[in-house]
Amino acid sequence: MTTPDTTDRGDAEQLSQIVSRQNAQLKALNEANLLLAEERLVSSVLQRVVDISRELSGARYAALGMLDETGQLKAFLTSGIDERARASIGELPSGKGLLGAMLERTEPLRIDKMSDHPKSEGFPPGHPDMTSFLGVPIRYKGRAVGSLYLTDKDGGSPFDQDDEEIVRLFSNQAAVAIQNALLNEQIQVLAVETERTRISREMHDGLAQVLGYINTKAQAVEQFMTNKDLDAAKDHLKEMSETARQAYREVREGILALRTQVGPDRSLSDALTEFISEFRYHLGSSTKVKQTIPDNMNLNPLQEVQILRIVQESLTNTRKHAQAATVSVVISQQNEGLLVEVSDDGRGFNPMAVKREEWPHLGLQTMQERAEAVGGTFEVESARGKGTKVRVFIPNPTSVRSRRDDS
């Protein structure tokens, strides 16, 4: 016989189970959001989305279909299907059957047996058998971005309302993460193109000045030759030759800078490592280069472009002016941000004694402007005979917000 106390205990246990399950779902969603925040490349974000959706729902298989701006399927990623099975399936789906139906829906779809659904068209040869189905659209500001496809829940039971709800909530997070990754990629492309234009303009202006200088010297040499002043002509020819060699080196460095860029498929770490490796040739065999560069620097695209250029310009300054035996590039993650240090043991200079008209020539003003343009700080430590150290600090966004809150 069931007593009121027994009923109350049963209700309490059921309520406790519901609360525990909801807490577990919220924890899983929070962890999923943190995982998504770690990724910035669009391809990495998409793969992470499909992997996390499979884990959250307990599905054996998961897929993510992405739409382009015209509403056509542009990408299809899977999770739970190994490479051999994926290869045996053949071409990617074209947006028909249940897949196409989901791309047109605005609400989730749960099916206990896929073959019974009127939109089902079966599977191609080599495709694993699938029974239960949960489809969830991914939408951003009312616009269809893609859809999640989850099949065969662990244990053989069909997907339930709880599965649908947690994947639906996650799809909202996924939509924002995907959009952020796409925007980051667009910003990066724009930043790189802007920087390419700037470098090209600098090369053009520099060459124009050199050619004008050489033309003036050539006219002077011609006049000295007419006047039989061979010594003066030789001196001017030496100056012309040195100017031409310097221009040649700067053009080669400019081409290297144009070729070495960050982008969606190349991290700042990779770009810096490649640049430093090739720049060793310009420094010469007598100069040793040391480097410590982390794989992940947690910078936005604009910051990456400016840090790359600051390091490039610092090394160019070292080649032109330092006469150093050792050059060091060290990038380290501090508690409140990223610290970039480029140092050498060369002849150094007195920063306070640099004339304003010489300041841009040394590139210091440009580097300072680059650092400040992305919220950073710029410092130079140097003394005659004691080398030079360029230090750039880029604060974390959280550190900036904290300082603003305290002020």
Side-chain angles (χ1 to χ4, degrees):
M1 178 177 178
T2 303
T3 64
D5 289 342
T6 303
T7 302
D8 290 343
R9 283 197 300 273
D11 291 342
E13 289 177 0
Q14 185 177 13
L15 180 61
S16 176
Q17 291 175 357
I18 293 173
V19 171
S20 296
R21 185 168 61 249
Q22 289 178 340
N23 286 337
Q25 289 179 337
L26 290 174
K27 181 180 179 182
L29 279 174
N30 182 58
E31 291 175 350
N33 191 40
L34 293 175
L35 288 172
L36 279 181
E38 294 176 357
E39 302 290 353
R40 289 176 52 201
L41 292 178
V42 174
S43 58
S44 299
V45 169
L46 296 181
Q47 189 59 56
R48 185 76 74 142
V49 165
V50 69
D51 290 339
I52 292 174
S53 67
R54 183 167 69 94
E55 295 172 7
L56 288 174
S57 62
R60 183 177 182 184
Y61 304 111
L64 169 64
M66 289 297 298
L67 298 174
D68 61 19
E69 295 179 354
T70 66
Q72 300 300 309
L73 190 67
K74 69 173 182 179
F76 194 79
L77 296 87
T78 62
S79 180
I81 299 178
D82 60 38
E83 290 297 325
R84 180 177 298 179
R86 177 69 182 267
S88 66
I89 294 173
E91 295 182 2
L92 295 177
S94 57
K96 299 179 180 179
L98 278 174
L99 188 149
M102 276 307 307
L103 295 175
E104 298 172 358
R105 288 181 64 92
T106 58
E107 296 296 328
L109 174 64
R110 275 186 288 133
I111 305 172
D112 292 349
K113 191 174 181 181
M114 295 174 66
S115 59
D116 291 343
H117 194 275
K119 288 285 187 178
S120 177
E121 296 186 357
F123 302 110
H127 197 289
D129 292 330
M130 299 177 180
T131 305
S132 58
F133 174 85
L134 170 60
V136 178
I138 299 177
R139 302 181 69 83
Y140 182 77
K141 293 185 177 181
R143 178 176 62 85
V145 176
S147 289
L148 286 166
Y149 308 90
L150 306 154
T151 62
D152 289 1
K153 184 175 178 179
D154 292 341
S157 61
F159 294 100
D160 57 26
Q161 183 63 40
D162 289 338
D163 300 321
E164 177 181 318
E165 184 63 16
I166 193 171
V167 177
R168 186 187 65 79
L169 291 172
F170 173 66
S171 72
N172 295 331
Q173 296 176 335
V176 174
I178 292 169
Q179 188 65 21
N180 283 341
L182 289 170
L183 288 174
N184 265 333
E185 191 170 281
Q186 292 170 7
I187 291 171
Q188 195 163 54
V189 170
L190 178 60
V192 168
E193 287 303 316
T194 300
E195 194 59 26
R196 283 179 181 273
T197 301
R198 177 171 178 164
I199 294 172
S200 299
R201 186 171 61 249
E202 289 175 353
M203 291 175 63
H204 174 272
D205 293 345
L207 279 175
Q209 292 177 5
V210 169
L211 290 174
Y213 174 82
I214 290 177
N215 181 57
T216 301
K217 285 291 183 180
Q219 292 178 22
V221 168
E222 184 178 0
Q223 186 62 44
F224 287 131
M225 294 293 289
T226 301
N227 297 335
K228 308 297 184 181
D229 191 347
L230 298 182
D231 290 338
K234 288 179 181 179
D235 290 341
H236 278 65
L237 285 172
K238 288 180 181 178
E239 292 177 8
M240 289 172 61
S241 178
E242 177 56 34
T243 300
R245 284 195 295 269
Q246 178 66 21
Y248 174 71
R249 285 193 293 265
E250 291 185 0
V251 168
R252 284 180 60 88
E253 289 171 9
I255 292 172
L256 176 58
L258 281 171
R259 192 171 68 244
T260 309
Q261 298 288 353
V262 292
D265 299 322
R266 178 189 278 178
S267 68
L268 176 58
S269 176
D270 291 339
L272 283 170
T273 299
E274 178 183 337
F275 179 83
I276 293 170
S277 176
E278 295 197 31
F279 199 79
R280 283 186 170 92
Y281 168 80
H282 299 277
L283 289 172
S285 58
S286 61
T287 303
K288 183 178 181 181
V289 182
K290 300 178 181 179
Q291 65 186 73
T292 303
I293 302 174
D295 292 332
N296 184 14
M297 300 183 218
N298 195 29
L299 298 173
N300 65 45
L302 293 177
Q303 290 172 333
E304 288 185 339
V305 169
Q306 299 297 16
I307 290 299
L308 175 60
R309 288 293 285 142
I310 289 172
V311 172
Q312 289 174 338
E313 290 175 14
S314 297
L315 290 175
T316 297
N317 270 348
T318 298
R319 178 191 63 77
K320 288 182 178 179
H321 309 293
Q323 298 178 4
T326 303
V327 182
S328 175
V329 179
V330 177
I331 300 179
S332 57
Q333 192 70 52
Q334 309 292 308
N335 290 333
E336 294 189 351
L338 190 78
L339 179 63
V340 181
E341 294 178 311
V342 182
S343 58
D344 65 66
D345 60 359
R347 62 182 185 176
F349 67 101
N350 182 359
M352 302 302 295
V354 176
K355 299 177 182 178
R356 289 305 300 178
E357 60 268 19
E358 294 176 340
W359 177 264
H361 173 67
L362 291 173
L364 301 177
Q365 185 179 21
T366 301
M367 287 189 278
Q368 180 174 341
E369 291 171 353
R370 288 183 181 279
E372 293 176 350
V374 292
T377 59
F378 175 83
E379 297 177 1
V380 178
E381 294 179 7
S382 187
R384 294 194 180 280
K386 295 185 178 180
T388 301
K389 177 180 288 187
V390 170
R391 181 184 292 111
V392 175
F393 183 76
I394 306 293
N396 294 327
T398 52
S399 299
V400 175
R401 287 196 295 269
S402 177
R403 286 195 293 272
R404 287 175 179 169
D405 293 341
D406 293 340
S407 61

